[in-house]
Amino acid sequence: MGEDNKFMKLLNDKLMSPMGKIASTRIVRAIMAAGLASIPFTIVGSMFLVLNILPTVFTGLTGFFNATFVKITNLYMIANQTTMGILALYFTIVIGYEYTRIIRDEEKINLDPVNGALLAVFAFFMTIPELVIKGGTFTLLNVTNKTETVINGWRSGAGGLDRLGTGGIFTGIIMALLAVKIYQIIVQKNWVIRMPEQVPSGVSNAFTALIPTFVISFVVLLIDGILIAFNTDIYNVIAMPFSFVTNLTNSWLGIVVIELLISLLWVLGIHGANIIGAFITPITLNNLTLNAHGAHMIFAGEFNNMFVIIGGSGATLGLVFFMTFMAKSAQLKTLGRAAIAPAFFNINEPIIFGAPVVYNPYLSIPFMLAPVVTSSLTYWSIKLGLTSQIIAQMPWPSPVGIGAFLGTGGDWRSVILAFVNVIVAGLVYYPFARIYDRKLLAQEQANLAAEK
């Protein structure tokens, strides 16, 4: 136990402390808020996409769909285009609002979150039009052919305006942070237009944002103009490093590292899914959109909740089955019975903090190993075409198999994979859980003997 305690202390010092600091930063908290706020839009947009592809999965429905839904496809797919198609806009609004609100509350600065949201959108929108220099003159790009359509600088894709979609989330994040920071600095320096106290607060706030709006426009236009002179722009410059990160997360090693980080943070008492999710959500949503248009991106949508961490972080559904039906100790058996229903909906905080998994060397090792195994099985199943790629966003609490079936557009093989992962994860837990169960049982029996 002494060595275990040393190991846990090492993890706490080397991982928990720095990751805890990252999780508490204003930027990460604002991004996390944006990810949570986008959930209803991604789910609703995906539902209409699933409806659109049902005839390709269930070919017997083709005739019925041709006579009914096909006639109104362009109508109901507007719901998809105005959710997944402009998701970067939603992210930008929420980050601008939340980042401003956090700064206002924590530094007691007179900032208006609504102004922050609007300034963020303003900065982001200035990066959308594409320009080129022709004969020494800045010219809005116009291209119309079979592969691309750009009209007056605004590029259209299959899902709507290209740069407003999931591919623009990272640009939206950066521009929102930049705009709010400029707003903060200007207000702190008192470089604002002050109105008399008798003026309504709405009017006063509007004038307070006047100078920040001008400064933001000047800064963004200056940077964009310089970059355009070098045949690029802000949007593309921001996209380059994030494209590298996206490619990394679509490798087997990249996915394994992500799963290990999530589990390690949980073991140390930090909500790993929320922290890591703040960084990977823009990637998985962008990959989801690419898949919906024919790509084969593996790490997309609810990849984790559909296949990897069934039962909750750590893939604990198999552990819950052991606790409920095989455990001998009263502690694990009672907890298993209480936790089995939530586990089917990927809720396992009762297990993480009740078993517990946190700081428990008996369960923390399989808690980290199981997602590595299930993510590897899922990665190679999709990579080799044994299971379809994820094309639709499902609610993360979707019961085992159901989310996988709908998220892959009705692929029954994904249901099999989900249940295989439950079994495999359970086998990973089994030897560790048995040892821990015996330890608890011995303690319970010793306590009973002492009471007698």
Side-chain angles (χ1 to χ4, degrees), residues 141-195:
L141 187 64
N142 281 281
V143 179
T144 305
N145 54 46
K146 292 182 179 180
T147 59
E148 58 181 341
T149 302
V150 187
I151 299 175
N152 291 330
W154 294 77
R155 181 177 296 272
S156 297
L161 291 172
D162 193 51
R163 291 188 170 189
L164 287 179
T166 52
I169 289 177
F170 286 116
T171 304
I173 291 172
I174 300 299
M175 299 313 295
L177 298 176
L178 173 65
V180 173
K181 205 64 185 174
I182 291 174
Y183 179 32
Q184 175 194 354
I185 292 170
I186 290 174
V187 172
Q188 282 181 314
K189 297 288 186 182
N190 204 28
W191 299 338
V192 295
I193 299 174
R194 297 289 183 187
M195 303 297 290

Side-chain angles (χ1 to χ4, degrees), residues 404-422:
F405 178 73
L406 294 174
T408 55
D411 187 348
W412 283 102
R413 298 173 300 173
S414 67
V415 179
I416 296 172
L417 175 61
F419 279 98
V420 166
N421 282 344
V422 172

Side-chain angles (χ1 to χ4, degrees), residues 262-436:
I262 293 173
S263 299
L264 276 169
L265 290 172
W266 267 120
V267 166
L268 298 170
I270 299 176
H271 200 305
N274 276 355
I275 295 174
I276 304 302
F279 299 100
I280 65 173
T281 295
I283 295 172
T284 56
L285 290 176
N286 184 48
N287 289 348
L288 183 73
T289 302
L290 294 174
N291 283 349
H293 295 102
H296 194 77
M297 309 299 286
I298 296 172
F299 196 57
E302 287 294 339
F303 175 89
N304 275 351
N305 290 306
M306 288 179 188
F307 297 110
V308 179
I309 55 171
I310 299 173
S313 293
T316 55
L317 185 57
L319 173 63
V320 173
F321 278 123
F322 170 85
M323 294 166 62
T324 305
F325 302 109
M326 302 176 68
K328 303 297 182 183
S329 65
Q331 177 179 330
L332 292 189
K333 185 176 288 292
T334 303
L335 183 60
R337 289 170 179 170
I340 192 165
F344 275 100
F345 298 92
N346 292 335
I347 300 170
N348 69 343
E349 277 79 359
I351 298 297
I352 291 176
F353 298 105
V357 171
V358 176
Y359 289 105
N360 183 347
Y362 293 97
L363 296 181
S364 60
I365 294 174
F367 188 85
M368 292 184 286
L369 287 178
V372 170
V373 175
T374 54
S375 64
S376 298
L377 285 173
T378 305
Y379 175 87
W380 291 110
S381 293
I382 298 176
K383 180 79 171 179
L384 299 175
L386 303 177
T387 305
S388 298
Q389 68 269 31
I390 300 167
I391 62 166
Q393 184 83 342
M394 293 295 108
W396 65 264
S398 298
V400 55
I402 295 177
F405 178 73
L406 294 174
T408 55
D411 187 348
W412 283 102
R413 298 173 300 173
S414 67
V415 179
I416 296 172
L417 175 61
F419 279 98
V420 166
N421 282 344
V422 172
I423 295 169
V424 171
L427 292 174
V428 172
Y429 275 102
Y430 181 72
F432 297 92
R434 279 195 64 187
I435 295 171
Y436 184 50

Side-chain angles (χ1 to χ4, degrees), residues 180-261:
V180 173
K181 205 64 185 174
I182 291 174
Y183 179 32
Q184 175 194 354
I185 292 170
I186 290 174
V187 172
Q188 282 181 314
K189 297 288 186 182
N190 204 28
W191 299 338
V192 295
I193 299 174
R194 297 289 183 187
M195 303 297 290
E197 292 183 2
Q198 298 83 357
V199 175
S201 60
V203 176
S204 179
N205 286 335
F207 277 91
T208 300
L210 184 59
I211 293 177
T213 303
F214 174 78
V215 174
I216 289 168
S217 64
F218 178 79
V219 170
V220 174
L221 291 175
L222 177 63
I223 296 172
D224 210 27
I226 294 171
L227 292 174
I228 291 168
F230 289 93
N231 296 317
T232 186
D233 57 24
I234 290 176
Y235 186 97
N236 286 319
V237 167
I238 293 175
M240 281 190 295
F242 289 112
S243 295
F244 171 77
V245 175
T246 300
N247 292 333
L248 186 63
T249 57
N250 275 295
S251 67
W252 170 76
L253 181 60
I255 290 175
V256 165
V257 170
I258 288 171
E259 303 304 334
L260 277 173
L261 281 174

